[in-house]
Amino acid sequence: MSAPRRQRRVRVPAAITGVLFLAVAGLAAGRAHAFDGTAQTLQPYEMQPLTPPANVPLAPQVRPVDEAFRTGAQALRAGQTAKGIDALGYAAAQGHAMAQWKLGRIYMDGDGVKRDDAKAFEYFQKIASSHAEDYPGTAQSRFVANAFVALGSYYLVGIPSAGVKRDPSRARDMFSYAASYFGDADGQYQLGKLYLEGVGGPRDARNAGRWLTLASQKGQYEAQATLGVLLFRGDEGVPRQRARGLMWLTLARDSAVRPEDKWVVNAHEQAFAEATPDEREKALGYLEVWLKTAKR
């Protein structure tokens, strides 16, 4: 048997040795350990991505329609009426309720533009048709409720140019929806006033007092003044409570600052002049209790 052949030793050049060393080192660097201590090799495509922790919320993506509304609102604040209305018009055409409400108020009040009740009515009508069932208590629901109140105001007088006939019964329906579903103070005031005046349906002073009380408790000063007169004078189904009525009139008087609020001032002055010293003292006591409760 012949002796085994001696294997020939191959010398590896130093340059190649260096390359192999770096390759092995790279593989070792790509090796990680799991929580149980076992080694795991991570391929290049398995390296941990740079993502935020799961509990950090990502910023919501801004929709073009929201950006248009924001641009329009900023332009109006800067006095750029044409630019603002153009941007709001784009958002409103996409069904943006806030943009529709803003444009409705602009045309209703003639704020920087010629007053156009037909356009205002159209915008408010779109809101009422699409958002009547919005959840109450949200930021948007306040504007939806206001749209119903605006529609009610228009139905009280009519808009001949828009073919909207005067319809007090329909107005009462609009106010009633804003008052009952959304709990809107302006809607409650308007509804109470219609009940008190017998507009759009039978007169009902007692029911009027209920709606006026709800609005007054929310700080609606016109409702406070109307309720104050109702209680001070008394009415069918509403016992006379002169001190309580004077208290509500006093609260309303402090908030009546517009020129058209002169009736509130006059009503307070007349009631105060007719009240006895004892009734004034009781009214002051009621007022002190109200202010303490309202601050809570």
Side-chain angles (χ1 to χ4, degrees):
M1 180 180 294
S2 60
R5 296 177 61 184
R6 176 180 292 182
Q7 293 182 350
R8 185 178 179 181
R9 190 173 183 179
V10 180
R11 292 181 57 84
V12 180
I16 298 179
T17 302
V19 172
L20 291 174
F21 175 79
L22 291 176
V24 173
L27 292 173
R31 185 177 296 273
H33 290 81
F35 289 114
D36 60 0
T38 59
Q40 292 180 329
T41 301
L42 298 178
Q43 298 300 326
Y45 56 82
E46 293 178 326
M47 300 302 289
Q48 294 294 328
L50 297 176
T51 57
N55 61 341
V56 177
L58 298 176
Q61 186 176 4
V62 179
R63 301 182 304 166
V65 66
D66 294 326
E67 184 61 32
F69 172 75
R70 187 178 298 108
T71 299
Q74 292 175 347
L76 290 177
R77 287 194 294 269
Q80 301 172 330
T81 304
K83 179 181 178 181
I85 291 180
D86 184 62
L88 290 177
Y90 169 80
Q94 307 305 311
H96 196 286
M98 296 281 286
Q100 292 171 341
W101 177 85
K102 185 63 178 176
L103 287 171
R105 294 301 311 187
I106 288 175
Y107 286 113
M108 185 180 192
D109 300 333
D111 185 10
V113 299
K114 182 179 179 180
R115 177 169 175 168
D116 192 330
D117 292 319
K119 283 186 178 181
F121 182 88
E122 181 181 357
Y123 281 120
F124 293 136
Q125 185 65 53
K126 288 181 179 179
I127 297 173
S129 299
S130 302
H131 299 276
E133 297 182 359
D134 279 12
Y135 192 79
T138 63
Q140 179 169 291
S141 69
R142 294 186 294 111
F143 297 94
V144 177
N146 185 265
F148 274 94
V149 174
L151 289 173
S153 299
Y154 276 129
Y155 278 119
L156 279 178
V157 296
I159 311 175
S161 61
V164 179
K165 297 181 179 180
R166 182 177 181 273
D167 191 343
S169 178
R170 183 65 172 162
R172 182 180 284 203
D173 290 341
M174 296 291 104
F175 294 143
S176 180
Y177 194 81
S180 57
Y181 182 76
F182 289 107
D184 184 76
D186 290 332
Q188 291 168 346
Y189 161 63
Q190 294 291 349
L191 181 59
K193 190 168 67 169
L194 291 190
Y195 273 118
L196 190 60
E197 298 172 352
V199 176
R203 185 177 188 276
D204 189 339
R206 185 173 180 82
N207 209 12
R210 291 171 178 169
W211 288 111
L212 292 172
T213 298
L214 287 174
S216 296
Q217 291 173 341
K218 296 174 182 176
Q220 219 288 356
Y221 74 94
E222 294 168 298
Q224 292 173 343
T226 307
L227 177 62
V229 174
L230 177 63
L231 294 177
F232 193 85
R233 303 295 177 193
D235 207 321
E236 184 178 356
V238 181
R240 181 179 298 178
Q241 304 176 55
R242 289 165 66 93
R244 184 77 65 180
L246 182 58
M247 183 271 288
W248 285 119
L249 281 165
T250 303
L251 278 172
R253 172 65 181 83
D254 290 340
S255 301
V257 296
R258 303 176 305 171
E260 56 266 37
D261 295 331
K262 182 64 175 175
W263 68 273
V264 177
V265 178
N266 293 339
H268 172 262
E269 292 179 349
Q270 184 175 355
F272 187 84
E274 294 180 15
T276 65
D278 183 60
E279 290 169 341
R280 295 175 185 174
E281 184 177 353
K282 285 183 179 180
L284 181 59
Y286 290 144
L287 183 61
E288 291 175 350
V289 172
W290 164 264
L291 294 176
K292 289 180 181 179
T293 304
K295 292 179 180 179
R296 294 178 183 177

